[in-house]
Amino acid sequence: MKNKIAFLSCFILMYVTSFSQSISSSPYSLYGLGSIYEADYGSIPSIGSSGIALPSDTFINNLNPASLGYVPLNHFMFEIGGKAIGTTFQSSSKTEKRNNFQFSHIAFAFPITKRSAFSIALRPYSSASFKISDLKLPISNTSEYYTLNAEGSGGLNNFDFSYGYRISKKLAMGVTGTVLFGNTTDERSYLISSSLTTINKKTDYSGLRATLGTQYKIDSTFTIASTFKVPSQIKASKVQTVENISNSNESVIESDVASDADDYYMPLEIGFGISKRFKNNLIMTLDYEKSLWNNTNQSELYGDFVNQDRFALGFSFRKNKDIRSYWDRVQYGTGVNFDTGYLEVDGKRVNNAAISIGVTLPVDNTFSALNISYSYGQKGKIGDGLIKENYHKLSLNLSLDGIWFVKRKIE
């Protein structure tokens, strides 16, 4: 069975990642640098995207760098993931369906000593892919309207370097240094009466960020943890072309003009998590995260950034009765999460709620596993200028674990 699982998972992941340019099709990716991307490793998608307090003993836990203090000695971990998402968009007058395939992440982790480990990972941070046609918007302090057409794509990438160290049997600490880079393209046209203005813009972004993490074992069954993401400034520069057509006269106002753009600010983010094991086979994980977007003092033409709260609860179960039985070693997971969102449009929050289930299939005679999860969620709502997204998401993470520098005793 191990060969079938490994072959099937590699084939599917290569197929999914070949569509990695189709990252997001959410209309809310119009704001900022696009929609913040969820790239959870291992079995984390199946337990409601919770797991700040879980160790990296069987998979790479990207939620907390302190977890790397528990990577087993001589083990080399590799992981790749992808997603397939089907979304239905609903407004008060229209319904539309879209499907896309997404690259999620690729990561490596390996121990340096028996108490410390290092990891490298590449994943998207944000994604933008939107198209708006013939949207009528009011002109301030008048009774007139203008028509907006907009189309954009791009986003930021996240390149992480993480280190975790287990200070004692109970306490582990870690740090992540993140390089953020990427660009967005934005084409917009504004029609006011008989005057049409078009703006074509490409913006490049680059910046650095740090994350600190801790994990503390109260006892062998109960762990508490925290994360602290440092606020940072993402530098931006743009190349822009502006044209105006009025009464059959066309004029070029700017043509490929390079200039500085408004920098993007990442907020202070604080996270807390717990994990509790019951009777050696049931584990509960509970996370809370607070993102202080208000303190970044930035806003959008069509909305505002607001403080964000995220709650996640998950349960995982494994029989562990007979390690020689394949199905007794299979892990099952389920979870829920709720996110208040970091955008407010016309005073209305764009929140998100989701439920998930999943399974972790071990590859026989190895420490590797295939993680499959399904989640259903809703984002936004119908009315008040918002659009409701109903989405079905299938996540596939392949966690490969090999042993280094250990000679075989039995050939």
Side-chain angles (χ1 to χ4, degrees), residues 17-277:
T17 54
S18 68
F19 288 87
S20 60
Q21 295 301 316
S22 179
I23 297 265
S24 172
S25 57
S26 171
Y28 295 113
S29 65
L30 168 71
Y31 299 89
L33 299 180
S35 300
I36 303 300
Y37 194 84
E38 295 180 2
D40 297 323
Y41 302 0
S43 60
I44 290 177
S46 67
I47 52 176
S49 296
S50 61
I52 292 177
L54 292 177
S56 290
D57 53 355
T58 58
F59 69 94
I60 305 171
N61 181 1
N62 64 299
L63 300 182
N64 190 341
S67 66
L68 293 171
Y70 297 94
V71 172
L73 190 62
N74 297 327
H75 284 240
F76 177 84
M77 295 183 176
F78 168 76
E79 180 158 328
I80 186 171
K83 302 176 184 179
I85 301 178
T87 309
T88 300
F89 303 96
Q90 293 178 289
S91 67
S92 55
S93 60
K94 187 178 180 181
T95 298
E96 182 177 343
K97 294 184 178 181
R98 296 181 190 173
N99 300 314
N100 60 68
F101 301 91
Q102 306 178 355
F103 164 73
S104 175
H105 62 278
I106 184 171
F108 303 86
F110 50 90
I112 299 175
T113 68
K114 65 179 181 180
R115 289 189 175 186
S116 64
F118 181 75
S119 74
I120 304 173
L122 176 65
R123 59 184 174 87
Y125 169 77
S126 67
S127 56
S129 179
F130 59 87
K131 185 175 183 179
I132 298 174
S133 301
D134 300 326
L135 177 63
K136 289 187 176 181
L137 296 170
I139 301 175
S140 299
N141 302 320
T142 70
S143 59
E144 297 182 357
Y145 289 80
Y146 68 92
T147 302
L148 169 68
N149 289 277
E151 185 171 357
S153 62
L156 257 66
N157 300 299
N158 213 93
F159 196 23
D160 292 333
F161 301 86
S162 301
Y163 174 78
Y165 180 73
R166 183 158 38 95
I167 298 174
S168 65
K169 290 183 178 180
K170 291 189 174 184
L171 178 64
M173 302 185 71
V175 60
T176 296
T178 299
V179 179
L180 290 144
F181 62 96
N183 60 71
T184 61
T185 59
D186 195 329
E187 301 177 4
R188 303 193 187 193
S189 66
Y190 303 86
L191 178 61
I192 304 176
S193 298
S194 59
S195 177
L196 176 66
T197 301
T198 62
I199 302 175
N200 297 327
K201 178 174 62 176
K202 180 181 179 182
T203 308
D204 293 298
Y205 297 92
S206 62
L208 302 174
R209 197 183 195 192
T211 300
L212 307 176
T214 61
Q215 288 185 343
Y216 183 78
K217 287 189 175 183
I218 302 296
D219 56 41
S220 60
T221 65
F222 186 42
T223 301
I224 60 174
S226 65
T227 56
F228 182 91
K229 295 183 180 180
V230 178
S232 62
Q233 182 178 1
I234 309 301
K235 294 291 185 179
S237 61
K238 66 181 180 181
V239 176
Q240 180 172 279
T241 296
V242 181
E243 297 180 354
N244 178 264
I245 301 175
S246 179
N247 296 323
S248 301
N249 294 320
E250 182 175 349
S251 61
V252 177
I253 301 173
E254 292 181 348
S255 180
D256 293 330
V257 176
S259 63
D260 291 333
D262 291 337
D263 294 337
Y264 186 77
Y265 294 88
M266 310 279 286
L268 168 66
E269 298 182 67
I270 303 172
F272 300 96
I274 64 171
S275 68
K276 174 65 179 177
R277 188 173 74 249

Side-chain angles (χ1 to χ4, degrees), residues 344-411:
E344 192 172 79
V345 181
D346 291 333
K348 306 298 188 301
R349 285 289 188 110
V350 182
N351 54 35
N352 178 76
I355 59 174
S356 61
I357 58 173
V359 62
T360 298
L361 302 174
V363 179
D364 280 348
N365 302 322
T366 73
F367 295 93
S368 304
L370 174 63
N371 301 279
I372 305 172
S373 67
Y374 163 80
S375 60
Y376 169 75
Q378 295 183 349
K379 183 177 181 179
K381 64 179 183 179
I382 300 175
D384 297 323
L386 299 182
I387 294 174
K388 183 177 181 180
E389 298 182 17
N390 294 284
Y391 59 87
H392 301 269
K393 179 167 61 178
L394 180 65
S395 299
L396 186 65
N397 294 337
L398 178 61
S399 301
L400 300 176
D401 188 347
I403 299 179
W404 287 7
F405 312 120
V406 176
K407 293 184 179 180
R408 287 176 178 253
K409 294 184 178 180
I410 300 176
E411 294 295 338

Side-chain angles (χ1 to χ4, degrees), residues 38 40 48-52 63 272 287-291 308-313 336-341 352:
E38 295 180 2
D40 297 323
S49 296
S50 61
I52 292 177
L63 300 182
F272 300 96
D287 291 357
Y288 168 73
E289 291 181 282
K290 182 79 172 183
S291 302
Q308 178 184 21
D309 298 284
R310 191 182 76 88
F311 306 86
L313 173 66
V336 296
N337 66 66
F338 177 76
D339 179 357
T340 62
N352 178 76

